[in-house]
Amino acid sequence: MDHFVYRGGALHAEDVALATIAEHVGTPFYCYAAATLRRHYRVFRDALAGVDSQVFYALKANSNLAVVALLAAEGAGADVVSEGEIRRALAAGVPPERIVFSGVGKSESEIAFALDSRIHQFNVESEPELIVLSRLAAARQVTADIAIRINPDVDAATHAKITTGKRENKFGIAWPYAREVYRRAAALPAIAVRGIAVHIGSQLTDLGPFEAAFRIVADAVRMLRQDGHRIDRLDFGGGLGVPYGEEAPPSPAAYGAAVKRIAGQLGCRLMFEPGRLLVANAGILVTRVIYVKKSDDRTFVIVDAAMNDLIRPTLYEAKHTVVTVRERPAGAESSRVDVVGPVCETGDYLALDHPLPTVHAGELLAIRTAGAYGAVMASSYNSRPIVPEVLVSAGRYSVVRSRPSYRDMLSGESIPDWARSEASR
Ligand code: LLP
């Protein structure tokens, strides 16, 4: 359930009409519903009731400071993958002891920054990383709590570009080879081995792969304890899918029940890094129709949002539902259209062959389930200003990231004297 609903014939975000926001902010813009963010967080947290657990929101899904602050106020920690994300998490009020640092390529300066910030845990993905972490922690006379991310070689059965738990993927250290890396980790100075991390992919719509991976982790706990390691934290990553259209992913309750069944009795604190699940359905992308172009067999609805604002349809063949902001009567006729943007690429589409009622230039459309991996993946390709973001709560709204002016966009660039033409010098 989300909080984007028709009222009096017009799509609202909670109690605010989207047309009102469009008038003040212009289009395109992302709009997030605070009530949905809170609701999703609580549903996930409640699914884990009864076990010692902590949610570390995966900032990569939507790292807007207001969104992170809202989830932090609910009690969420942060799963981060860069110094930039650590800085965002801290700026949004996430306490350092609720930050976990993931990622295959943490640089020395990022590790140093994380150590100086006193974060909770490093999820280590390679031996060389472990050695750098040990050296930097020892130099600071601190101990780094670590989990090793194991690669369980489980197929998440999701899009190839967001599958992470297969042997051929760059992520984690293959299990059981990782057992040897644990041995070496325990011998390194300034490293405290605490746990096991796993994350097999994103947008999983079936519990099976999760269960397979979690069972491998549970077996690994026993083996690693036999080897003498203190294993008291398990990080199960993120990955739970959301319905974009017809999919029926497992409910958080079913996911939580599986986790408890497999790992509830291991005496470990259970950690989770959901991203998409918390934010995807809490966000929409609002856009205005510029032109409707008809040919003999196709209709292109050309809108002012484009692949640079929401890249998921073209990058992952993701199917986002598009709706009109002005409600149509039930049973109104619809036809199949391509909703495309102004960017000069054939891959610039938001939806292909999508049913839509007859729409007109100037009217607003909303692209649903766009709160995760939407704004964060936006670019200014084609010199289009980065899309703004708006957060709604009940009857009020705030622009939580403004649209840059064209002057802002050019301000970081300069033309060296030697690059100018003779004539203009
Ligand atoms: N933890 C780790 C280590 C991750 O790599 C990810 C996502 C998450 C947690 C959060 O996963 P989630 O709960 O959101 O599935 N841009 C792609 C998704 C990339 C996911 C990358 N890693 C998309 O738009 O589908």
Side-chain angles (χ1 to χ4, degrees):
M1 188 211 138
D2 62 41
H3 293 79
F4 301 106
V5 285
Y6 291 106
R7 281 210 211 147
L11 193 62
H12 282 60
E14 302 196 30
D15 300 334
V16 182
L18 289 164
T20 306
I21 303 176
E23 215 170 280
H24 292 128
V25 177
T27 50
F29 65 91
Y30 277 94
C31 180
Y32 311 127
T36 313
L37 291 167
R38 291 198 188 95
R39 181 174 181 279
H40 287 185
Y41 178 80
R42 291 173 192 174
V43 166
F44 190 75
R45 183 201 58 197
D46 292 351
L48 301 165
V51 284
D52 177 16
S53 65
Q54 172 68 48
V55 175
F56 297 83
Y57 166 56
L59 245 66
K60 63 172 78 68
N62 185 325
S63 56
N64 185 284
L65 287 177
V67 170
V68 181
L70 192 143
L71 291 171
E74 289 289 311
D79 165 49
V80 301
V81 290
S82 67
E83 178 172 337
E85 286 192 350
I86 299 176
R87 288 181 184 271
R88 274 181 184 277
L90 293 172
V94 179
E97 63 275 13
R98 276 202 218 134
I99 298 179
V100 170
F101 195 2
S102 303
V104 288
K106 306 175 189 79
S107 71
E108 288 208 14
S109 65
E110 289 181 310
I111 292 174
F113 182 76
L115 285 168
D116 292 338
S117 304
R118 300 287 154 98
I119 67 158
H120 181 62
Q121 177 172 298
F122 292 79
N123 287 351
V124 173
E125 299 218 22
S126 68
E127 233 182 308
E129 178 191 336
L130 196 56
I131 289 162
V132 170
L133 178 60
S134 167
R135 172 164 54 76
L136 296 178
R140 287 168 171 71
Q141 299 186 318
V142 295
T143 302
D145 280 356
I146 67 145
I148 289 181
R149 176 168 173 184
I150 64 166
N151 182 322
D153 196 25
V154 167
D155 187 353
T158 181
H159 192 278
K161 286 191 180 133
I162 50 176
T163 293
T164 55
K166 288 288 291 167
R167 235 188 166 73
E168 59 268 29
N169 303 139
K170 68 179 176 181
F171 299 99
I173 303 178
W175 182 260
Y177 169 75
R179 201 168 169 179
E180 182 52 36
V181 180
Y182 271 94
R183 206 164 277 143
R184 286 182 220 156
L188 284 172
I191 295 286
V193 173
R194 299 295 299 268
I196 307 173
V198 74
H199 172 81
I200 57 172
S202 196
Q203 184 53 16
L204 272 71
T205 51
D206 188 8
L207 267 188
F210 280 123
E211 290 175 328
F214 297 169
R215 277 200 204 93
I216 291 170
V217 170
D219 288 344
V221 172
R222 295 181 194 103
M223 288 186 226
L224 291 171
R225 282 182 177 159
Q226 274 169 21
D227 293 347
H229 302 288
R230 163 184 177 189
I231 301 292
D232 58 4
R233 296 179 189 166
L234 299 181
D235 183 340
F236 286 130
L240 193 50
V242 302
Y244 283 91
E246 301 301 300
E247 313 88 327
S251 66
Y255 171 90
V259 165
K260 288 180 205 172
R261 200 168 55 243
I262 297 169
Q265 306 301 322
L266 292 170
C268 291
R269 154 162 274 217
L270 306 185
M271 303 163 60
F272 299 89
E273 303 169 352
R276 189 188 316 263
L277 181 78
L278 301 184
V279 294
N281 276 311
I284 58 173
L285 173 60
V286 178
T287 182
R288 203 178 280 284
V289 177
I290 306 176
Y291 300 115
V292 178
K293 176 160 97 170
K294 289 192 174 158
S295 63
D296 45 357
D297 63 342
R298 291 201 92 77
T299 300
F300 297 103
V301 175
I302 304 171
V303 298
D304 66 2
M307 63 185 286
N308 70 295
D309 304 307
L310 178 64
I311 203 167
R312 303 195 67 260
T314 198
L315 191 55
Y316 312 112
E317 287 92 38
K319 304 243 179 326
H320 288 257
T321 303
V322 184
V323 296
T324 57
V325 167
R326 183 168 64 78
E327 191 175 20
R328 302 301 205 269
E333 211 182 302
S334 77
S335 60
R336 302 219 154 238
V337 302
D338 293 345
V339 181
V340 303
V343 163
C344 301
E345 293 215 22
T346 305
D348 177 29
Y349 52 81
L350 298 166
L352 294 180
D353 202 30
H354 189 292
L356 212 61
T358 306
V359 295
H360 303 284
E363 83 165 281
L364 297 170
L365 303 180
I367 294 132
R368 298 182 62 101
T369 324
Y373 307 108
V376 280
M377 295 181 81
S379 75
S380 55
Y381 184 42
N382 274 207
S383 285
R384 293 164 49 82
I386 287 277
V387 56
E389 296 168 88
V390 174
L391 180 64
V392 171
S393 181
R396 56 185 176 192
Y397 71 89
S398 295
V399 177
V400 291
R401 184 190 200 180
S402 58
R403 195 188 312 275
S405 67
Y406 288 108
R407 181 193 286 265
D408 292 341
M409 286 175 68
L410 302 191
S411 67
E413 298 178 31
S414 60
I415 307 173
D417 203 33
W418 45 260
R420 289 186 187 276
S421 73
E422 286 294 332
S424 65
R425 244 183 271 163

